[in-house]
Amino acid sequence: MEYLRPARAWGRWPNPDNVGRISQIARRKQRLSVFKNMIVYRIAPQWQVELTQVEEALAKAPFMECGATQEKSLGWVPPRGEAHGPLAESVGGQWILRFMVESKVLPGSVLARRVKEKAERIEQETGRKPGKKESKELKDEAKLDLLPMAFTKQGSMWVWIDTASRLLVLDTSSQGRADEVVTLLVESLPGLSVSLINTQTSPQAAMSHWLSTQEPPVGFTVDRECELKSADEAKAVVRYARHPLDIEEVQAHIAAGKLPTKLALTWDDRVSFMLTEGLQIKKVSFLDTVFEGTKADDGGFDTDVAIATGELSKLIPDLIEALGGEAESGVASAATALAGARAAPGRTLRRRGDRPL
C-alpha cells in the first residue's frame, strides 16, 4: 500500500525539546460556535439547485416541539436563531443549515413500574396474569400515560453544503445522528445523492504508518494524544493523553498488533483535531494563527461561519490527500463520467451505481 509524502519542511513530528511550544499551542486553542466535529460526504454532480430552492424545500419540514404524546420531533430551524428567519443561509457562498431534534426523556424504570401497576390491577380484577401480547399493549398504554409528563431534551446540528467542492459536512461525531440528518435531507431535497468520503488508504492504516515511521504527512503534525486497540479477543486498549508519541513504546504496541483508533493532529499550525478510524473528525479547534488580524469583539454567526468554512474547506482536501486521495465510489465515478461527457458533448452519459441514500 502506497502512502503519500513523508514529513518535510512544514510537515513534522513534535520532538521533546518542543514540549513548551506544544503546551502553548494547546492553551491557545479556540472553538467557534460552529463545526466542533465533522462527518464529510461527497455530493453527486447531478444535484444542481439554487439556495432559494433549498429554502423552499426545508420550509416543508420545519422543526416543531413534541406534542403531548409524541416521543420525538425533528426538522429545520433558522441557522441564525432568529424567529421566522431563513432556514438556509449563505455566507461567502457556503450554505449553512441547522437541524434540530427534540425527544422525551422517559426512564425505563419509571415505565416498567407503571406497566407493573397496570398488570397487577388486571390480575386483581380478573384473577389472571396478562399474556405476552397484552403486556406489550400495557407498555404502549403506560408510555402514552407518561409522555405528557416527561421532560424533553433538544439537540441541534450544523449542516454545511459546499456546492463548489460538492461537499456535505455535518457537525457531529455520531454516525447514527448523521444518518438521521442525511435521511431527512434526501427526503427534503429532491435529487440529492451523497456518499461518505472514502479514501484510498484507510485512516487506521495511515495512522499506523505515521506512528510507526514517525513521519506524519506533509502539512500535518502529530500531537500528544492517541488510542491504540488490539484486534484480538482481549480488545486491549492503550491511551496516551498529553504524552509524546514519538517513542519506542508506541512503535512496539503497533508492531504487536494494536491499531490506532484515534490520533490527534494539527493542520498547518491552524486547526487541531482528532482523526478516528472511521474518518470522523472530532474536537475541532482553531489556533491563534487563524485569528490574526481580527479584533477581540469580531464574532457572531457570519464571522464564525466564514472562519470555520474558510479553514476547513482547505483542511478537508489536504486530509484526503494525506490518506492517499479519494477512492472511487458511485458518486465519484458519476463525477468522472460527467466531466468526460462535458468534454465530449456528443457522448451520451450513462451512470450506474449512484443512488440516493
XYZ file of all heavy atoms in Angstrom, residues 57-106:
377
model
N -37.678 23.919 0.022
C -37.787 22.504 0.384
C -37.746 22.310 1.901
O -38.525 21.539 2.461
C -36.654 21.714 -0.278
N -36.851 23.031 2.574
C -36.742 22.893 4.025
C -37.974 23.432 4.739
O -38.327 22.962 5.826
C -35.495 23.626 4.544
C -34.139 23.147 4.015
C -33.009 23.888 4.715
C -33.968 21.644 4.189
N -38.617 24.422 4.124
C -39.812 25.018 4.738
C -40.938 24.001 4.885
O -41.862 24.210 5.676
C -40.276 26.206 3.912
N -40.851 22.890 4.149
C -41.877 21.852 4.252
C -41.643 20.928 5.446
O -42.501 20.109 5.773
C -41.902 21.029 2.959
C -42.262 21.847 1.727
C -42.178 20.999 0.466
C -42.482 21.833 -0.783
N -42.342 21.025 -2.035
N -40.469 21.058 6.074
C -40.161 20.200 7.221
C -39.564 21.023 8.357
O -38.456 20.759 8.825
C -39.205 19.087 6.811
N -40.287 22.060 8.827
C -39.757 22.886 9.926
C -39.804 22.128 11.250
O -40.634 21.224 11.437
C -40.705 24.080 9.944
C -42.007 23.510 9.471
C -41.645 22.475 8.431
N -38.928 22.484 12.139
C -38.941 21.843 13.456
C -40.125 22.342 14.274
O -40.422 23.529 14.287
C -37.651 22.143 14.217
C -37.707 21.729 15.659
C -37.576 20.399 16.014
C -37.910 22.683 16.658
C -37.647 20.008 17.339
C -37.979 22.302 17.988
C -37.846 20.963 18.332
N -40.790 21.432 14.935
C -41.876 21.755 15.853
C -41.664 20.945 17.120
O -41.249 19.783 17.059
C -43.237 21.431 15.228
C -43.531 22.212 13.960
S -45.165 21.821 13.266
C -46.228 22.521 14.540
N -41.939 21.548 18.263
C -41.747 20.856 19.526
C -42.660 19.639 19.624
O -43.711 19.575 18.980
C -42.015 21.806 20.690
C -40.999 22.937 20.790
C -41.247 23.827 21.995
O -42.284 23.646 22.669
O -40.400 24.687 22.275
N -42.253 18.674 20.430
C -43.029 17.447 20.586
C -44.431 17.738 21.112
O -44.606 18.587 21.995
C -42.327 16.503 21.567
S -40.825 15.752 20.940
N -45.403 17.031 20.563
C -46.746 17.093 21.109
C -46.814 16.313 22.408
O -45.849 15.674 22.826
N -47.978 16.328 23.043
C -48.134 15.727 24.367
C -47.733 14.255 24.385
O -47.076 13.790 25.322
C -49.571 15.886 24.847
N -48.127 13.504 23.371
C -47.833 12.066 23.341
C -46.819 11.708 22.255
O -46.718 10.553 21.849
C -49.119 11.258 23.119
O -49.740 11.676 21.887
C -50.092 11.458 24.272
N -46.058 12.686 21.804
C -45.059 12.463 20.757
C -43.691 12.232 21.397
O -43.229 13.034 22.200
C -45.012 13.680 19.822
C -44.137 13.497 18.600
C -44.174 14.727 17.697
O -44.841 15.725 18.003
N -43.466 14.666 16.584
N -43.030 11.131 21.040
C -41.735 10.794 21.639
C -40.595 11.626 21.065
O -39.652 11.973 21.773
C -41.422 9.317 21.427
C -42.202 8.369 22.295
C -41.676 6.952 22.175
O -40.593 6.674 22.729
O -42.341 6.132 21.527
N -40.674 11.937 19.772
C -39.547 12.587 19.114
C -40.031 13.489 17.996
O -41.000 13.164 17.311
C -38.602 11.518 18.559
C -37.283 12.018 18.031
C -36.413 10.831 17.639
C -35.029 11.253 17.202
N -34.188 10.095 16.842
N -39.359 14.614 17.817
C -39.682 15.533 16.729
C -38.387 16.077 16.148
O -37.433 16.365 16.891
C -40.557 16.684 17.236
O -40.829 17.600 16.194
N -38.330 16.214 14.838
C -37.127 16.750 14.210
C -37.509 17.607 13.009
O -38.600 17.485 12.462
C -36.176 15.619 13.799
C -36.737 14.422 13.035
C -36.816 14.698 11.542
C -35.866 13.193 13.273
N -36.595 18.482 12.630
C -36.842 19.378 11.496
C -35.775 20.449 11.417
O -34.717 20.351 12.048
N -36.069 21.502 10.661
C -35.085 22.552 10.384
C -35.453 23.840 11.109
O -36.620 24.186 11.214
C -34.992 22.799 8.880
C -34.682 21.554 8.123
C -35.550 20.779 7.411
C -33.414 20.912 8.037
N -34.898 19.698 6.881
C -33.579 19.743 7.255
C -32.143 21.203 8.547
C -32.533 18.881 6.966
C -31.101 20.327 8.268
C -31.291 19.195 7.486
N -34.435 24.541 11.604
C -34.629 25.819 12.284
C -33.722 26.864 11.630
O -32.738 26.516 10.972
C -34.303 25.709 13.789
C -35.268 24.765 14.484
C -32.855 25.271 14.015
N -34.019 28.154 11.796
C -33.163 29.197 11.222
C -31.751 29.128 11.803
O -31.587 29.125 13.030
C -33.864 30.501 11.626
C -35.294 30.106 11.829
C -35.238 28.730 12.400
N -30.716 29.063 10.980
C -29.337 28.953 11.478
C -28.923 30.117 12.383
O -28.132 29.939 13.303
C -28.496 28.927 10.201
C -29.428 28.419 9.156
C -30.772 28.966 9.516
N -29.444 31.308 12.117
C -29.068 32.467 12.931
C -29.790 32.495 14.279
O -29.470 33.326 15.126
C -29.370 33.768 12.181
C -28.512 33.974 10.942
C -28.835 35.289 10.273
N -28.102 35.435 9.032
C -26.858 35.895 8.945
N -26.230 36.276 10.047
N -26.248 35.989 7.781
N -30.771 31.628 14.450
C -31.501 31.617 15.704
C -32.580 32.668 15.793
O -33.151 32.883 16.871
N -32.870 33.321 14.691
C -33.893 34.362 14.671
C -35.249 33.755 14.317
O -35.359 32.962 13.386
C -33.537 35.442 13.649
C -32.201 36.121 13.923
C -31.775 37.033 12.786
O -32.443 36.983 11.718
O -30.788 37.774 12.951
N -36.253 34.112 15.083
C -37.594 33.590 14.817
C -38.043 33.969 13.405
O -37.871 35.116 12.972
C -38.577 34.134 15.846
N -38.581 33.011 12.692
C -39.104 33.201 11.329
C -38.018 33.612 10.341
O -38.313 34.147 9.267
C -40.220 34.262 11.328
C -41.262 34.026 12.378
N -42.061 32.919 12.393
C -41.608 34.773 13.478
C -42.881 32.982 13.438
N -42.621 34.085 14.119
N -36.743 33.365 10.685
C -35.644 33.674 9.771
C -35.507 32.614 8.697
O -36.169 31.566 8.735
N -34.648 32.838 7.707
C -34.435 31.849 6.637
C -33.903 30.542 7.208
O -33.132 30.532 8.175
C -33.389 32.522 5.739
C -33.471 33.984 6.059
C -33.848 34.065 7.506
N -34.288 29.432 6.605
C -33.814 28.125 7.032
C -32.509 27.741 6.336
O -31.864 26.762 6.723
C -34.881 27.061 6.750
C -36.198 27.232 7.508
C -37.204 26.171 7.066
C -35.981 27.170 9.010
N -32.135 28.479 5.310
C -30.882 28.247 4.591
C -30.168 29.582 4.428
O -30.730 30.523 3.870
C -31.147 27.605 3.231
N -28.947 29.662 4.930
C -28.162 30.893 4.848
C -26.953 30.669 3.959
O -26.423 29.562 3.867
C -27.683 31.316 6.245
C -28.788 31.725 7.202
C -29.249 33.169 6.993
O -28.683 33.855 6.109
O -30.151 33.602 7.733
N -26.507 31.735 3.310
C -25.289 31.684 2.507
C -24.300 32.702 3.064
O -24.612 33.895 3.181
C -25.592 31.995 1.044
O -24.392 31.994 0.279
N -23.113 32.225 3.427
C -22.047 33.101 3.931
C -20.815 32.847 3.071
O -20.226 31.760 3.118
C -21.725 32.814 5.414
C -20.578 33.701 5.884
C -22.958 33.026 6.286
N -20.452 33.825 2.272
C -19.307 33.654 1.383
C -19.489 32.524 0.393
O -18.517 31.869 -0.004
N -20.735 32.259 -0.003
C -21.002 31.195 -0.955
C -21.164 29.828 -0.327
O -21.462 28.854 -1.025
N -20.975 29.742 0.991
C -21.153 28.470 1.697
C -22.548 28.432 2.306
O -22.953 29.368 2.991
C -20.089 28.314 2.800
C -18.652 28.461 2.315
C -18.247 27.350 1.364
O -18.892 26.299 1.290
N -17.172 27.575 0.608
N -23.286 27.343 2.067
C -24.658 27.237 2.547
C -24.672 26.585 3.923
O -24.050 25.531 4.129
C -25.494 26.407 1.580
C -25.619 27.033 0.218
C -25.134 28.240 -0.186
C -26.283 26.469 -0.924
N -25.446 28.476 -1.508
C -26.150 27.408 -1.985
C -26.948 25.288 -1.154
C -26.674 27.174 -3.246
C -27.478 25.050 -2.416
C -27.356 25.981 -3.445
N -25.384 27.188 4.840
C -25.449 26.705 6.215
C -26.908 26.443 6.595
O -27.768 27.308 6.421
C -24.831 27.717 7.195
C -23.381 28.030 6.812
C -24.911 27.186 8.623
C -22.445 26.845 6.889
N -27.158 25.246 7.111
C -28.479 24.856 7.606
C -28.325 24.445 9.064
O -27.206 24.241 9.555
C -29.044 23.675 6.806
C -28.793 23.630 5.297
C -29.312 22.321 4.720
C -29.433 24.818 4.615
N -29.456 24.312 9.757
C -29.394 23.826 11.137
C -30.535 22.862 11.410
O -31.705 23.201 11.247
C -29.438 24.977 12.140
C -28.986 24.528 13.537
C -28.797 25.695 14.461
N -28.130 25.292 15.686
C -27.916 26.092 16.723
N -28.324 27.357 16.667
N -27.296 25.647 17.802
N -30.144 21.667 11.812
C -31.081 20.587 12.131
C -31.354 20.598 13.633
O -30.442 20.809 14.438
C -30.450 19.261 11.708
C -31.173 18.039 12.186
C -32.266 17.546 11.507
C -30.734 17.357 13.320
C -32.919 16.398 11.940
C -31.377 16.222 13.760
C -32.472 15.739 13.073
N -32.608 20.385 14.005
C -32.985 20.361 15.423
C -33.790 19.100 15.705
O -34.636 18.684 14.895
C -33.811 21.594 15.772
C -34.284 21.652 17.224
S -32.972 22.050 18.387
C -32.794 23.819 18.093
N -33.521 18.483 16.851
C -34.285 17.309 17.271
C -34.654 17.470 18.739
O -33.868 17.990 19.538
C -33.474 15.998 17.053
C -32.174 16.022 17.847
C -34.310 14.786 17.414
N -35.860 17.052 19.069
C -36.323 17.067 20.455
C -36.882 15.685 20.774
O -37.599 15.093 19.969
C -37.394 18.128 20.666
C -37.907 18.196 22.100
C -38.966 19.274 22.300
O -40.145 19.004 21.981
O -38.604 20.373 22.747
N -36.565 15.167 21.942
C -37.076 13.856 22.348
C -37.507 13.904 23.805
O -36.992 14.693 24.597
C -36.009 12.774 22.137
O -34.825 13.097 22.849
N -38.479 13.059 24.142
C -38.970 12.952 25.513
C -38.072 11.996 26.301
O -37.671 10.946 25.798
C -40.403 12.428 25.513
C -41.439 13.373 24.877
C -41.760 14.524 25.800
C -42.870 15.419 25.240
N -44.195 14.784 25.306
N -37.755 12.387 27.518
C -36.922 11.565 28.396
C -37.840 10.766 29.305
O -38.489 11.323 30.196
C -35.965 12.438 29.233
C -35.112 11.557 30.144
C -35.092 13.289 28.331
N -37.895 9.466 29.076
C -38.778 8.591 29.843
C -37.946 7.435 30.395
O -37.656 6.473 29.691
C -39.902 8.058 28.948
C -41.056 7.317 29.626
C -41.724 8.199 30.671
C -42.074 6.863 28.588
